[in-house]
Amino acid sequence: MRISFVGAGNVAWHLAQALEHAGHHIVEVYSRDTRNARRLINKLYDTTVALHPDFAESSAELIILAVSDDALDDVMQRLVLPEECILVHTSGTKTLEELTRLVDIYSDVPAHTGVFYPLQTFSRDVPIELTEVPLCIEASDASTESTLIKLAQDLSNVVYLMNSEERAVMHIAAVFACNFTNHLFSISKRILDAEHLEFDLLKPLIRETVRKAMEAPDPTMVQTGPARRGDRQILERHLDYLERYPAWQGLYETLSESIMKK
Amino acid sequence: MRISFVGAGNVAWHLAQALEHAGHHIVEVYSRDTRNARRLINKLYDTTVALHPDFAESSAELIILAVSDDALDDVMQRLVLPEECILVHTSGTKTLEELTRLVDIYSDVPAHTGVFYPLQTFSRDVPIELTEVPLCIEASDASTESTLIKLAQDLSNVVYLMNSEERAVMHIAAVFACNFTNHLFSISKRILDAEHLEFDLLKPLIRETVRKAMEAPDPTMVQTGPARRGDRQILERHLDYLERYPAWQGLYETLSESIMKK
């Protein structure tokens, strides 16, 4: 397939290289920051930097919008589409409908639309085994859907048809399991820092806890700790200590109660 | 060193085998459940099952209490110590003072006391590389301290002197980073289950999120998500959806506010 990218950030960085590696041709890369586009095409075989998001004369059959949610509206205002192309975004939170509406509003030519959402966090300098990354697909019509599924299967063993409502729920679940988890690590580190204890000491335990949770049929089955045991004495002692951090004391109480309710 | 164990659960299972492997002699294992003791000594070279916690005639120089916090008082009432031994517990939450007090109350002979706390979660069937597990040491006197440090260094590259107050703070930090994290995974799974979405889809993202947090100089530096971005629109949408789970809606709000305060 002939594919062009709008955006040259972390998602484009990994997707473009993986697609080329799977035998597809990355035709152009456009980015507001031309240096990013240039850095990406240096990793590709036969790709040019597009200086404007004008693909009227492009041979691309698929244009992948790999831009942040905030930038989507702006880029759609300036995007010029070729005839008969598929336009997809890579966002976990934007609906397919939103993209279709933006095409209707801003584009002179119609387009098939879709979502090509890799359920993973990317860093430019960290190689990711894309074959293990779930690719969530949604499309405006059946033929686009089958094209996107085939493309996704070239990259990953985990290809999933997921509509926008399901993707939204997936996102909420990810906020709990990933964003909030990361915040708990931050709190934990801050508590240790204050006593000059090293967060590094806790890392083997964190890694093993997560490993267990991921391998158990249900994380609830491997829940441990004072709240799980209903150990009021320890809970009280911890809450006393946390007097110095009122916000985290509240969090400790709320989370402990939530565990005890199970 | 000649070492006996009181308790034959997950901690004893791993510690006893590792200590024998490091060249020490495990003399006896006592457990309320004799089958557990028997199962453990089957893994050891020259160890007998003690049917009672009476070590008056034992040649052990060190007795390791690897029992749950709840069982400590009960076992101390029945424990008979040999002359001139070191008695340690393996608990993250019990203080050294509590152990010393129990010896004073219940034992006819005095003992050196200490803490030998592996900062890790153990499952009998999951092999653990003990060399990477932080061993937290505390002792009633300098000579016991140096004995325990030497012993710990036979097992692990990460040996740490930590007093009972520091251990308590470590425990609070672990509750945030491990127990609460596991609970967030449970909530996440429950949210997905309700929509017939697979928690497995989220696992690569969770693993990568944790990997990033563990490798960053501070997890705060890799915090992502709608709260971090201050994306009120998404936050409102998520809170709307969570109307059906009032407790988790409250948790979502508290955690998001805590992230935004940073």
Side-chain angles (χ1 to χ4, degrees):
Chain A
M1 234 182 153
R2 293 186 303 280
I3 304 169
S4 289
F5 275 84
V6 174
N10 296 336
V11 172
W13 180 262
H14 289 279
L15 269 191
Q17 293 184 68
L19 284 165
E20 180 175 281
H21 191 252
H24 300 283
H25 178 201
I26 312 303
V27 187
E28 296 117 346
V29 173
Y30 166 77
S31 169
R32 267 184 301 190
D33 186 338
T34 312
R35 283 168 309 179
N36 280 347
R38 212 169 297 282
R39 206 178 332 170
L40 175 52
I41 71 153
N42 281 339
K43 286 290 198 172
L44 301 169
Y45 182 68
D46 181 22
T47 309
T48 58
V49 169
L51 294 173
H52 303 280
D54 181 348
F55 296 90
E57 304 299 318
S58 172
S59 67
E61 303 155 279
L62 170 67
I63 294 178
I64 298 181
L65 295 163
V67 300
S68 70
D69 286 358
D70 296 341
L72 191 62
D73 194 273
D74 176 65
V75 84
M76 284 300 294
Q77 290 187 37
R78 300 185 295 123
L79 188 66
V80 182
L81 293 170
E83 303 279 340
E84 281 296 315
C85 87
I86 299 175
L87 179 69
V88 301
H89 73 59
T90 53
S91 161
T93 52
K94 292 282 174 185
T95 64
L96 176 61
E97 218 184 3
E98 280 171 276
L99 181 63
T100 307
R101 197 166 34 82
L102 289 170
V103 170
D104 286 348
I105 298 174
Y106 296 122
S107 177
D108 293 332
V109 299
H112 304 282
T113 52
V115 180
F116 197 92
Y117 169 52
L119 188 44
Q120 183 54 284
T121 171
F122 296 99
S123 312
R124 200 184 306 250
D125 39 326
V126 181
I128 283 266
E129 196 49 75
L130 221 58
T131 51
E132 306 298 325
V133 172
L135 293 179
C136 308
I137 302 301
E138 186 179 10
S140 57
D141 56 279
S143 104
T144 303
E145 183 178 293
S146 90
T147 303
L148 293 178
I149 287 179
K150 245 179 265 159
L151 190 71
Q153 285 171 339
D154 286 345
L155 302 183
S156 171
N157 300 321
V158 195
V159 176
Y160 224 79
L161 269 179
M162 197 182 285
N163 65 36
S164 295
E165 290 71 38
E166 290 170 327
R167 217 166 49 249
V169 175
M170 197 46 106
H171 187 222
I172 296 173
V175 169
F176 275 97
C178 301
N179 302 153
F180 289 167
T181 288
N182 190 83
H183 184 57
L184 293 179
F185 296 152
S186 292
I187 294 174
S188 181
K189 181 173 192 305
R190 233 146 246 47
I191 289 170
L192 294 175
D193 283 354
E195 307 272 355
H196 308 289
L197 288 163
E198 287 176 36
F199 185 56
D200 277 357
L201 282 180
L202 213 49
K203 288 181 177 175
L205 180 60
I206 293 173
R207 289 198 179 95
E208 181 64 11
T209 302
V210 173
R211 200 196 56 71
K212 273 189 183 176
M214 294 302 103
E215 294 192 1
D218 187 327
T220 312
M221 292 170 63
V222 293
Q223 182 68 52
T224 58
R228 173 58 214 279
R229 293 194 306 275
D231 188 335
R232 296 271 170 196
Q233 204 188 333
I234 296 278
L235 291 174
E236 286 307 321
R237 238 188 272 172
H238 286 183
L239 287 170
D240 277 353
Y241 178 83
L242 291 169
E243 284 288 350
R244 67 196 76 181
Y245 307 113
W248 301 342
Q249 189 191 40
L251 211 51
Y252 186 101
E253 204 156 16
T254 313
L255 280 159
S256 294
E257 272 161 21
S258 179
I259 291 171
M260 286 189 280
K261 251 175 231 154
K262 296 269 102 194
Chain B
M1 231 182 155
R2 293 185 304 279
I3 303 168
S4 288
F5 275 84
V6 174
N10 295 337
V11 172
W13 180 262
H14 289 277
L15 269 191
Q17 294 184 67
L19 284 166
E20 180 175 281
H21 191 254
H24 300 283
H25 179 202
I26 312 303
V27 187
E28 297 117 345
V29 172
Y30 166 78
S31 168
R32 269 184 302 191
D33 186 338
T34 313
R35 283 169 309 178
N36 280 347
R38 212 170 297 284
R39 206 178 331 169
L40 175 52
I41 72 154
N42 282 338
K43 287 289 198 172
L44 301 169
Y45 182 69
D46 181 22
T47 309
T48 58
V49 168
L51 295 173
H52 303 281
D54 181 347
F55 296 90
E57 305 297 319
S58 170
S59 66
E61 304 156 279
L62 170 67
I63 294 177
I64 298 181
L65 296 164
V67 300
S68 71
D69 285 358
D70 296 340
L72 191 63
D73 194 273
D74 177 66
V75 83
M76 285 300 295
Q77 289 187 39
R78 301 184 295 123
L79 186 66
V80 183
L81 291 171
E83 302 279 340
E84 279 296 315
C85 86
I86 299 175
L87 178 70
V88 300
H89 72 60
T90 53
S91 161
T93 52
K94 291 281 175 188
T95 63
L96 176 61
E97 215 184 4
E98 279 172 277
L99 182 63
T100 307
R101 196 165 37 81
L102 289 170
V103 171
D104 287 348
I105 299 174
Y106 296 124
S107 177
D108 292 333
V109 298
H112 304 280
T113 53
V115 180
F116 198 91
Y117 168 51
L119 187 45
Q120 185 52 287
T121 171
F122 296 99
S123 313
R124 201 184 306 252
D125 39 329
V126 180
I128 284 265
E129 196 50 75
L130 222 57
T131 51
E132 307 299 324
V133 171
L135 293 178
C136 307
I137 302 301
E138 186 179 8
S140 57
D141 56 279
S143 104
T144 304
E145 182 178 291
S146 90
T147 303
L148 292 178
I149 287 180
K150 244 180 266 158
L151 190 72
Q153 284 170 340
D154 287 346
L155 302 183
S156 171
N157 301 321
V158 195
V159 176
Y160 224 80
L161 270 179
M162 197 183 284
N163 65 36
S164 295
E165 290 72 37
E166 291 170 325
R167 217 166 49 249
V169 174
M170 199 43 112
H171 188 221
I172 295 173
V175 169
F176 276 96
C178 300
N179 302 152
F180 290 165
T181 288
N182 191 82
H183 184 56
L184 292 179
F185 296 151
S186 292
I187 293 174
S188 181
K189 181 174 191 307
R190 234 148 244 48
I191 288 171
L192 294 175
D193 283 353
E195 307 273 356
H196 308 289
L197 288 162
E198 288 177 35
F199 184 55
D200 278 356
L201 282 180
L202 213 50
K203 288 181 179 175
L205 180 59
I206 293 173
R207 289 196 178 98
E208 181 64 11
T209 302
V210 173
R211 200 195 56 70
K212 274 189 183 176
M214 295 300 102
E215 294 193 2
D218 186 327
T220 312
M221 292 169 63
V222 294
Q223 182 67 53
T224 58
R228 173 60 213 279
R229 292 194 306 276
D231 188 334
R232 296 271 169 196
Q233 204 186 334
I234 296 279
L235 291 173
E236 286 306 322
R237 239 189 269 171
H238 287 182
L239 288 170
D240 278 353
Y241 178 84
L242 292 168
E243 284 288 349
R244 67 197 75 182
Y245 308 114
W248 301 342
Q249 189 191 41
L251 211 51
Y252 186 104
E253 204 158 14
T254 313
L255 280 159
S256 294
E257 273 161 21
S258 179
I259 290 172
M260 285 188 281
K261 251 175 233 153
K262 295 269 103 194

